[in-house]
Amino acid sequence: MTAPRLPGGRRAAALLVLLGAALTVGGALVFEHVLGYVPCKLCLTERVPYYLAIPLAGIAVAAPERLSRLALGLVALVLLYGSGLGAYHAGAEWGFWPGPSDCGGGSGPNPGAVGDFLDALKTTRVVDCSTAAWRFLGISLAGWNAVIAAVLASLAGTAALSRGSPAPSRPLALR
């Protein structure tokens, strides 16, 4: 069995993975810093595979074929792990299994005095990993993360295993 050929080639797939990973992390940062959603501990942990995948996909775009394939293989593994984290988090949100016992999240400025600290405790909301902050089409952000990471991992893995670009074909008259 031979490995599949990608229509746009390995570099195009690496660029798509790079763009998809950057947009995913960018979206998470917009939810956090622009829309005011405070991420839980798992939300922050789910970003780490993207932080690894982005530079590796950048290497895959620019590197020679062998190194590009290796980088894309690593991207696939990292994002597959990220998809698993997202699935675990989404499952905890749906109550399929318990979330981590040490989950709480969000950080803010440290109060300067004890009185300020006590006042801050009155208004601080602890973010729970087992509660979805937002859903789209019935799927939480963690669930979407699992889907996106799985799709990007699949694309990276397929590109890593694909054969090189096909040789240019010669016109029939020259054969």
Side-chain angles (χ1 to χ4, degrees), residues 11-175:
R11 290 197 198 302
L15 197 56
L16 267 173
V17 170
L18 174 65
L19 183 63
L23 287 174
T24 302
V25 169
L29 292 172
V30 165
F31 266 86
E32 180 180 353
H33 296 290
V34 176
L35 301 177
Y37 286 85
V38 179
C40 70
K41 178 183 175 183
L42 269 179
C43 293
L44 295 172
T45 303
E46 288 172 49
R47 295 178 191 177
V48 173
Y50 292 100
Y51 296 147
L52 295 172
I54 290 170
L56 284 171
I59 290 169
V61 168
E65 180 182 352
R66 189 177 200 132
L67 183 57
S68 176
R69 290 171 65 130
L70 175 64
L72 282 168
L74 290 173
V75 168
L77 291 174
V78 164
L79 289 175
L80 195 58
Y81 170 74
S83 181
L85 280 174
Y88 167 70
H89 191 178
E93 290 173 341
W94 283 103
F96 295 149
W97 43 75
S101 60
D102 64 343
C103 196
S107 61
N110 290 328
V114 174
D116 294 337
F117 176 70
L118 293 174
D119 289 339
L121 281 178
K122 294 176 187 173
T123 60
T124 299
R125 185 179 74 105
V126 176
V127 181
D128 181 16
C129 290
S130 61
T131 304
W134 186 79
R135 293 184 189 273
F136 177 67
L137 299 177
I139 301 174
S140 68
L141 291 173
W144 283 113
N145 175 56
V147 171
I148 292 167
V151 168
L152 293 175
S154 175
L155 179 59
T158 301
L161 296 174
S162 71
R163 293 183 284 154
S165 299
S169 62
R170 296 186 301 186
L172 287 174
L174 299 175
R175 290 186 193 178

